[in-house]
Amino acid sequence: MPQHAEAHHTGRASWLRAAVLGANDGIISTGSLIVGVAAAQTSASSVLLAGAAGLTAGAMSMAAGEYVSVRSQADSEDAEVRLERREQVADYDGELAELAQIYVERGVDALLARQVAEQLMASDALGSHTRDELGLFETRKAHPVQAAASSAASFTAGGAVPMLAAAMAPSTQVPVAVVATSLGCLAFLGAASAVAGGAPIPRAVLRVTFLGALAMAATAAIGNLFSGGG
């Protein structure tokens, strides 16, 4: 019997979004902070201290924000499932008719839709409605702690790139080294995420590098402004 071998990308959506967002944010925010502080002509130790503080604060912020967001989503999903469970207890026949109607609206013959609904509800009534009525799938279920940890880890990994560039470059070349390294890594990340998500690579690379360059240019301008004022 032939195997179903189509490769779809929808199952990667949740973790890919969190990982890409975290890494992008880590590179751009930490790199921009370092460039801005370095442009103000502060000492090398101050630049690294600012970068480390920004990296730590950013990772914690990403984790907290992702946890709250995904926890809210999970609470909403749980509430919908509880409501569905109560409705099935109160009106099983009505829920059976509702499930059959869902299949009819998808193009299934009314008699066959009724038979399918009866068999599915006999084996897993709640699961059938959770999937086909509410659109909730186990593979897409919200996991707050996992999302928070993933965001913090990816932010830290991304932020480590400009930090290493700043630590290894001569003090006079820190801004150039950080910008070049950060933009190179952003381009790679954009290409990798495009491949994983099945999106056009050039557009993804251009988008992420342009936004990263814009952010670093803005912080460099602010650093130069304060340097000139001092």
Side-chain angles (χ1 to χ4, degrees):
M1 184 176 180
Q3 297 293 318
H4 183 74
E6 291 182 5
H8 295 288
H9 305 287
T10 53
R12 306 171 181 170
S14 58
W15 68 261
L16 182 62
R17 182 191 69 85
V20 170
L21 177 62
N24 273 350
D25 212 7
I27 294 173
I28 294 174
S29 62
T30 306
S32 298
L33 179 61
I34 290 173
V35 169
V37 174
Q41 299 181 10
T42 54
S43 65
S45 60
S46 296
V47 170
L48 292 177
L49 177 60
L55 177 57
T56 303
M60 296 302 295
S61 176
M62 285 290 292
E66 193 71 15
Y67 180 85
V68 170
S69 174
V70 178
R71 180 70 265 173
S72 297
Q73 178 186 342
D75 290 343
S76 177
E77 292 175 356
D78 291 342
E80 290 290 331
V81 172
R82 288 195 299 270
L83 176 60
E84 182 60 37
R85 184 182 289 111
R86 291 195 298 268
E87 289 175 344
Q88 290 185 11
V89 172
D91 186 12
Y92 184 90
D93 291 338
E95 291 299 302
L96 175 60
E98 183 181 33
L99 187 61
Q101 184 59 33
I102 290 174
Y103 299 142
V104 169
E105 292 174 356
R106 294 179 181 175
V108 181
D109 177 78
L111 179 59
L112 179 58
R114 178 77 182 192
Q115 294 173 343
V116 171
E118 288 175 348
Q119 292 183 29
L120 287 175
M121 289 194 66
S123 62
D124 185 9
L126 184 61
S128 299
H129 279 267
T130 298
R131 180 183 64 253
D132 294 325
E133 180 186 349
L134 303 180
L136 302 178
F137 297 84
E138 185 62 31
T139 55
R140 302 179 188 174
K141 188 175 181 181
H143 298 286
V145 174
Q146 182 185 59
S150 175
S151 291
S154 57
F155 184 98
T156 301
V161 170
M163 281 292 296
L164 287 173
M168 297 175 64
S171 58
T172 57
Q173 297 298 316
V174 166
V176 175
V178 170
V179 169
T181 304
S182 297
L183 292 182
C185 288
L186 285 173
F188 174 79
L189 183 62
S193 63
V195 171
I201 295 176
R203 185 183 306 169
V205 170
L206 179 62
R207 179 172 56 238
V208 72
T209 52
F210 172 76
L211 293 174
L214 185 63
M216 284 182 271
T219 54
I222 293 173
N224 281 319
L225 177 64
F226 277 89
S227 174

